[in-house]
Amino acid sequence: MRVAIVHDWFTKWAGSEQVVARMLGVFPEANLYAGIDVMPAAERGPLGGRTVRTSPAQNLPGVARWHGHYLPLLALAIEQLDLSAYDLVISSSHAIAHGVLTGPDQLHLCLCHSPMRFAWDLQHQYLAEAHLHRGLLTWPARIMLARMRRWDLAASRRPDRYIAVSQFIARRIAKCYRRPADVVIYPPVDVAAFPLHQAKEDFYVTAGRFVPYKRTALIVAAFAKMPDKKLIVIGDGPERERVKARAGPNVTFLGHAPAATLVDHLQRARAFIFAALEDFGIAPVEAMLCGTPVIAFGQGGATETVTDNVSGLFFGQQTPDSLIEAVHRFESQRHRFVPEQVHASVERFSSERFDRQFKQYLMEQMDQPPLPGGEGTGRAHKIISC
């Protein structure tokens, strides 16, 4: 059987790229495609030296830096990939990969990390964060997003079936595309890389890219109002100066740290702080594997990984005051969070579990014909048991 795996783009190594790497482990003979591939050489190790076959957008000037500005052209470019030689096409999509063209005798399965967040329910947030919610450029930006929604809705009919990475994303697929996800398969986490550590120290930690939706600035601002509590921040990104400007002397920035430094701090921290509305959220799971409880925003994928009052607790609003209240509540009941129980609560998210469930699902689907016209309505999604 000839298999193609299609990813949106390779620009940096993050959660969705980890999923692609596991897919390649399941299908080692598969060919790998993407809209563009500009990933630095230092981050390419998990791809095992594979060649990424790219679309015509690879040659656009400045695409490595400005690929977000080229989004309408990237959507057109992904349709130019010739996948007619393959029996099975698997798209890994949070933007455009699901828009590839396939024929009636090909099976197209989409593992959907999310419909385009910036074009659907998070449009207003993204416009505000890009300072495009008012002024001369707001209407060109809104028109472009409206066109991307129309393209995305048309492209959503192309996969024969959808795999969602969480129940939260299954609901977003149903809302945006008016199609159900066929199944939920949670992303893989390298359990062995984050060993349990029982002794905790007097500091909190957060980690991730400094981009608006991660809400690192919110976390730093909250701890600026709690000068008696230490916060370690691991990561870097375009919001670096804005985040640092809100910090007090009790906040330490480590920048982009090596994996060993990240693991060491996740193991020793009193708790991990997570303020993003995420599709799934691998970082909190990594912290919990270390036996470290998580204080998380109570929406999105975190609600499916953090067990309230067992492996962490939630705060209800993405505001410094809401987070501060949660930290105080955590401090008053720290004794309830047992590292062994925290670790055990997330062992089910292992990479081996992902491989097993992904293989199981594909074997089931290859025995069935594609649904006519990609129609999936009326079929309830399920979670493959961990």
Side-chain angles (χ1 to χ4, degrees):
M1 184 176 61
R2 297 162 295 180
V3 180
I5 296 174
V6 186
H7 191 48
D8 296 303
W9 46 67
F10 288 100
T11 59
K12 62 182 183 302
W13 197 259
S16 61
E17 287 71 30
Q18 292 181 39
V19 175
V20 172
R22 298 306 300 192
M23 289 180 179
L24 291 170
V26 174
F27 286 106
E29 301 302 320
N31 288 325
L32 183 59
Y33 288 81
I36 60 169
D37 176 18
V38 292
M39 184 178 289
E43 299 182 30
R44 305 186 69 86
L47 291 179
R50 287 177 177 269
T51 298
V52 179
R53 306 181 186 194
T54 56
S55 76
Q58 182 72 18
N59 299 316
L60 290 171
V63 71
R65 183 176 181 182
W66 303 109
H67 65 278
H69 298 272
Y70 280 126
L71 191 60
L73 289 178
L74 286 170
L76 175 63
I78 205 76
E79 298 176 339
Q80 311 313 310
L81 294 176
D82 183 3
L83 304 176
S84 58
Y86 299 98
D87 305 299
L88 173 63
V89 175
I90 305 169
S91 57
S92 164
S93 183
H94 58 74
I96 59 171
H98 64 297
V100 294
L101 304 179
T102 55
D105 295 322
Q106 295 175 285
L107 178 62
H108 177 186
L109 303 177
C110 175
L111 190 147
C112 184
H113 305 279
S114 178
M116 290 182 186
R117 309 174 191 91
F118 48 83
W120 291 98
D121 53 311
L122 299 183
Q123 170 188 289
H124 305 294
Q125 175 183 319
Y126 274 81
L127 286 172
E129 290 167 351
H131 305 292
L132 292 171
H133 56 301
R134 60 172 65 96
L136 292 176
L137 295 180
T138 187
W139 285 110
R142 292 174 191 274
I143 290 170
M144 187 272 285
L145 290 174
R147 289 176 176 172
M148 290 310 304
R149 275 194 299 277
R150 288 196 293 271
W151 178 88
D152 195 32
L153 189 58
S156 74
R157 312 300 293 176
R158 296 173 189 172
D160 296 299
R161 294 179 176 87
Y162 278 94
I163 306 166
V165 297
S166 65
Q167 287 277 16
F168 173 61
I169 291 305
R171 294 194 298 273
R172 185 177 276 168
I173 291 169
K175 186 71 172 182
C176 297
Y177 296 162
R178 299 298 174 180
R179 294 183 57 180
D182 199 46
V183 68
V184 172
I185 301 179
Y186 291 114
V189 183
D190 188 354
V191 171
F194 298 89
L196 171 65
H197 186 77
Q198 295 186 358
K200 304 302 175 185
E201 299 179 19
D202 185 21
F203 69 89
Y204 294 83
V205 68
T206 189
R209 294 188 71 239
F210 292 0
V211 291
Y213 86 94
K214 294 287 188 182
R215 302 301 176 101
T216 310
L218 180 158
I219 297 171
V220 168
F223 274 82
K225 296 182 178 182
M226 297 184 289
D228 59 322
K229 295 176 173 47
K230 300 176 184 177
L231 175 68
I232 305 293
V233 182
I234 300 174
D236 204 347
E239 278 212 317
R240 180 194 308 111
E241 298 308 317
R242 177 171 175 261
V243 170
K244 286 189 173 182
R246 305 190 73 176
N250 59 326
V251 178
T252 302
F253 293 90
L254 298 186
H256 180 71
T261 300
L262 172 64
V263 173
D264 175 59
H265 284 81
L266 291 181
Q267 288 179 321
R268 294 187 293 113
R270 179 171 290 181
F272 182 84
I273 310 296
F274 188 71
L277 175 64
E278 276 282 16
D279 311 330
F280 173 70
I282 288 178
V285 177
E286 293 172 343
M288 289 182 283
L289 285 169
C290 295
T292 300
V294 174
I295 302 173
F297 175 52
Q299 292 185 30
T303 62
E304 300 173 47
T305 60
V306 179
T307 304
D308 197 24
N309 291 317
V310 174
S311 60
L313 51 79
F314 298 107
F315 56 99
Q317 297 180 320
Q318 287 178 309
T319 64
D321 288 345
S322 185
L323 174 54
I324 290 169
E325 185 279 329
V327 171
H328 289 154
R329 184 158 34 97
F330 172 79
E331 291 276 0
S332 69
Q333 50 187 283
R334 270 190 309 161
H335 62 280
R336 301 178 61 176
F337 301 100
V338 180
E340 293 87 351
Q341 294 178 1
V342 174
H343 173 88
S345 72
V346 289
E347 284 185 294
R348 67 187 188 278
F349 296 110
S350 69
S351 297
E352 293 74 20
R353 180 271 321 161
F354 174 86
D355 295 350
R356 183 176 65 253
Q357 294 175 354
F358 191 58
K359 288 178 183 177
Q360 174 189 333
Y361 178 73
L362 291 183
M363 289 175 64
E364 293 173 356
Q365 300 315 306
M366 286 185 288
D367 289 334
Q368 301 180 32
L371 298 175
E375 295 289 346
T377 52
R379 300 186 61 186
H381 65 269
K382 62 182 179 179
I383 297 180
I384 295 182
S385 172
C386 290

